[in-house]
Amino acid sequence: MNGYSDEYWMRQALSLALRAQAEGEVPVGALLVLDNQVIGEGWNQPIGRHDPTAHAEIMALRQGGVTLQNYRLLNTTLYITLEPCVMCAGAMVHSRIRRLVYGANDEKTGAAGSLVDILRHPGMNHQVEIVPGVLAPECTTMLSNFFRLRREQKKALKLAQQAAKGGDS
């Protein structure tokens, strides 16, 4: 195999997911690669940008389109730390990426096979090769830790608010 491995690129995507986490976003990172060159990268930014479409993969696809000066992203591979949602999977079909490589499954909203399979649906005008589970333990742990911490923070805030109310009486 020429070039870098799927694991190599997924580690780069994980570093982008850390960037999302540092910004208070759900830690998802994405890289768009063509001929062993990164042509687009993204991390989740919907909260900070006030944009429901600012998912990591959308950001990477947008950057890839600008880099190639084309909305068709032929022969590219998109690496994502989390299985894409329906919106992102639809964008992948429209952009004509060749491969999707992702880490963690998303049983609730995954559109690459967990809930639905948009990318290989026989009615679609383009189908994407899917490689699931690359560095899945690392990707899953990052997401699990993020959501556990968020739940603990919400619980602590609720307890602090209750204590403040109790101290007012």
Side-chain angles (χ1 to χ4, degrees):
M1 178 178 163
N2 292 335
Y4 299 106
S5 68
D6 288 343
E7 290 79 11
Y8 171 84
W9 293 117
M10 188 61 72
R11 289 196 194 290
Q12 308 310 306
L14 277 163
S15 71
L16 292 168
L18 285 173
R19 192 162 175 182
Q21 182 171 301
E23 294 176 8
E25 304 275 359
V26 176
V28 178
L31 277 180
L32 185 63
V33 175
L34 175 65
D35 298 329
N36 279 306
Q37 297 280 322
V38 175
I39 62 167
E41 65 179 28
W43 55 94
N44 266 4
Q45 301 176 65
I47 298 167
R49 288 183 176 246
H50 311 290
D51 179 356
T53 69
H55 289 194
E57 38 286 57
I58 297 294
M59 304 307 283
L61 292 171
R62 286 176 181 162
Q63 196 176 81
V66 170
T67 299
L68 296 180
Q69 290 293 289
N70 196 334
Y71 72 100
R72 296 268 169 99
L73 305 172
L74 304 174
N75 300 312
T76 58
T77 298
L78 186 61
Y79 294 89
I80 315 167
T81 57
L82 178 65
E83 180 180 359
C85 69
V86 171
M87 172 185 70
C88 294
M92 289 172 210
V93 169
H94 288 298
S95 68
R96 309 286 200 278
I97 67 167
R98 185 171 62 84
R99 291 175 73 226
L100 164 66
V101 179
Y102 73 86
N105 287 337
D106 186 345
E107 301 300 327
K108 293 180 182 174
T109 64
S114 289
L115 178 66
V116 294
D117 191 348
I118 300 296
L119 300 172
R120 294 179 294 203
H121 190 281
M124 291 292 176
N125 61 348
H126 175 74
Q127 293 175 1
V128 177
E129 175 189 337
I130 301 171
V131 180
V134 174
L135 299 184
E138 291 93 325
C139 295
T140 302
T141 298
M142 181 181 288
L143 287 156
S144 297
N145 289 344
F146 173 83
F147 285 113
R148 182 179 37 75
L149 183 62
R150 184 174 267 183
R151 284 190 301 276
E152 289 169 4
Q153 289 169 337
K154 284 184 179 177
K155 186 177 179 182
L157 179 63
K158 188 175 181 180
L159 290 172
Q161 288 171 339
Q162 289 172 345
K165 285 180 186 174
D168 289 343
S169 45

